[in-house]
Amino acid sequence: MSTPDAVDLILRQNIGCDSGESDALQYLKFGLQLAYVLPFGLLYLSFMITIVKRKKDRELFEDSFFTLHLADGIITLYFLISDTSFFRLTSYFRPVCEYLVPLLKDPAYTLTPFYTAYMYAQLAKMLSTLAMSVNRYTSVNNPVNHKIVSSKLYELTFNLLLQFWFQHCNKVILGIFVIPLFLVWPVAIGTTSFLPFKGNGNINYEHKLPWARTTYGRLGVAVPTLIFTVYSSIVTTSKLRKLGGHMKKVEFSMNMATVFTACGFVLLVGLQICYLFVNAENLLDKMWMVKIIMAATQISNDFYMLSGPVVLLILDKKMRASLFICGKNQKNSRRTTKASIQPITMVQSHAN
């Protein structure tokens, strides 16, 4: 693993916006990524709006899982907007990169707020993934006791797990947003530099305190999250098979969506670990490997960020219908408003 000073030196000696590929190919790559990030991002936003509007729907959105999903959605959309508007833009649009290099390559605080918020969103996303995994793990391991469900098979009452999520869900969400603040302060106090490497947009920050590195904070969050998500995914998948028809369709969909998100997270962390083992001295010699890892990381990151709501909507018909119902209600309200305005205009014209 390379030291921060060694990485900074290598990057400064090899600043370059040219990836070795034609601009047309770079624009095509950006367009292909935008072609799925944009619609899936809008789908996630629509899903969040639906959850807010139908929060009291006991059949779908009353579960604490969707409250956690709202927090996760806010973090996800911010991260994707930041990533696309800066890192992808400077990586695939060489003229933009070349314009920014003279302005931002020297250490300054210009990019510090942006990069701090970007790193903060990464950590918050890990914590929201962990919270949703714990929520679904308790649901699958206690499917009868997780929430009140009136059916021919079960007549259930409140229990400890339901009370925990009912009483402490907001506290969990507060923790998701507060804990990263204690881990990103090394970035917040340091200067930042825009140092593109072989056409890949990159921001490097100054390590003012050698012992205070965000790498440690990310590992502190990522390792337990990784261990638990792998464990909970295995347990959840195996128990879903056994429960079968005894589990409500919406519960099954929520659990499967969490499993997909967990798989994306495991893949992303695995690729980042591979990247850490590439020494700074070998970056130039093994650039082909770095490019493969970075491309795979980008794809797995998008899958990790956006797979949850997509899986939910694919598996659950009621959730898909809820999106269209909200859209129809908005159209009907607009038509009603328009109809109510027209008679007033006619009366005024008649009086004149």
Side-chain angles (χ1 to χ4, degrees):
M1 186 183 299
S2 305
T3 64
D5 291 338
V7 172
D8 184 79
L9 181 61
I10 292 292
L11 290 175
R12 290 193 179 279
Q13 291 177 344
N14 296 275
I15 294 177
C17 296
D18 187 2
S19 65
E21 299 174 338
S22 66
D23 288 347
L25 181 58
Q26 291 289 87
Y27 299 157
L28 177 61
K29 288 182 178 180
F30 181 80
L32 289 175
Q33 291 181 24
L34 203 62
Y36 68 81
V37 170
L38 185 59
F40 286 157
L42 291 174
L43 181 65
Y44 206 151
L45 179 60
S46 301
F47 188 58
M48 292 167 62
I49 293 172
T50 302
I51 293 173
V52 172
K53 289 186 174 181
R54 303 191 64 187
K55 184 66 178 168
K56 295 182 180 180
D57 188 340
R58 293 189 176 183
E59 285 296 319
L60 289 176
F61 300 116
E62 192 185 35
D63 196 287
S64 56
F65 173 80
F66 292 104
T67 305
L68 296 172
H69 225 296
L70 279 175
D72 181 78
I74 293 171
I75 298 164
T76 298
L77 293 181
Y78 172 79
F79 182 86
L80 288 175
I81 291 171
S82 301
D83 184 65
T84 302
S85 62
F86 188 88
F87 290 104
R88 298 194 205 205
L89 193 65
T90 55
S91 295
Y92 294 112
F93 286 79
R94 184 172 52 83
V96 177
C97 177
E98 292 176 345
Y99 175 78
L100 292 177
V101 167
L103 301 175
L104 303 172
K105 69 176 181 178
D106 297 322
Y109 287 98
T110 307
L111 289 173
T112 298
F114 168 79
Y115 195 53
T116 302
Y118 182 81
M119 299 297 290
Y120 168 87
Q122 280 189 334
L123 291 166
K125 176 67 178 180
M126 292 182 193
L127 291 173
S128 67
T129 300
L130 178 60
M132 288 191 292
S133 295
V134 172
N135 180 277
R136 290 300 89 200
Y137 177 78
T138 59
S139 173
V140 170
N141 277 276
N142 299 273
V144 176
N145 297 322
H146 182 67
K147 58 188 292 189
I148 297 178
V149 179
S150 298
S151 66
K152 295 180 181 179
L153 297 176
Y154 303 107
E155 292 182 359
L156 309 174
T157 57
F158 281 106
N159 55 83
L160 293 176
L161 287 174
L162 174 61
Q163 291 177 16
F164 172 82
W165 285 109
F166 181 76
Q167 296 175 2
H168 302 291
C169 185
N170 290 336
K171 295 177 183 178
V172 172
I173 292 175
L174 183 63
I176 291 172
F177 285 101
V178 171
I179 292 174
L181 295 175
F182 297 96
L183 303 174
V184 297
W185 63 267
V187 181
I189 65 174
T191 57
T192 49
S193 307
F194 176 56
L195 303 174
F197 181 73
K198 296 293 184 179
N200 295 296
N202 178 69
I203 296 177
N204 207 36
Y205 78 94
E206 176 191 10
H207 294 75
K208 287 199 170 185
L209 301 174
W211 56 269
R213 296 177 57 182
T214 56
T215 302
Y216 301 145
R218 289 201 301 272
L219 287 175
V221 175
V223 170
T225 301
L226 178 65
I227 294 173
F228 186 81
T229 50
V230 170
Y231 170 73
S232 64
S233 296
I234 294 173
V235 173
T236 300
T237 304
S238 62
K239 290 204 172 185
L240 283 176
R241 295 177 181 175
K242 296 178 181 178
L243 290 172
H246 295 290
M247 177 168 282
K248 291 179 66 177
K249 180 67 175 177
V250 64
E251 291 279 358
F252 177 83
S253 302
M254 289 189 290
N255 291 323
M256 287 304 300
T258 306
V259 169
F260 270 82
T261 302
C263 290
F265 175 74
V266 171
L267 179 61
L268 180 64
V269 172
L271 288 168
Q272 288 181 337
I273 291 173
C274 292
Y275 184 72
L276 288 175
F277 282 99
V278 179
N279 294 325
E281 294 77 11
N282 297 329
L283 282 175
L284 296 175
D285 297 334
K286 297 181 179 180
M287 193 60 205
W288 61 271
M289 179 171 35
V290 175
K291 284 189 173 183
I292 291 175
I293 294 175
M294 292 182 70
T297 300
Q298 188 70 74
I299 295 173
S300 61
N301 186 65
D302 291 337
F303 177 80
Y304 165 52
M305 291 284 175
L306 296 170
S307 61
V310 174
V311 173
L312 276 172
L313 295 172
I314 289 175
L315 293 179
D316 198 276
K317 184 177 180 181
K318 290 183 179 179
M319 291 189 194
R320 292 197 304 272
S322 67
L323 291 179
F324 294 106
I325 290 173
C326 286
K328 289 179 180 179
N329 289 338
Q330 288 179 351
K331 290 181 180 179
N332 291 335
S333 63
R334 289 173 185 170
R335 291 175 182 174
T336 304
T337 304
K338 185 177 180 180
S340 64
I341 292 173
Q342 286 177 346
I344 297 175
T345 305
M346 292 174 66
V347 171
Q348 288 176 344
S349 300
H350 181 71
N352 292 334

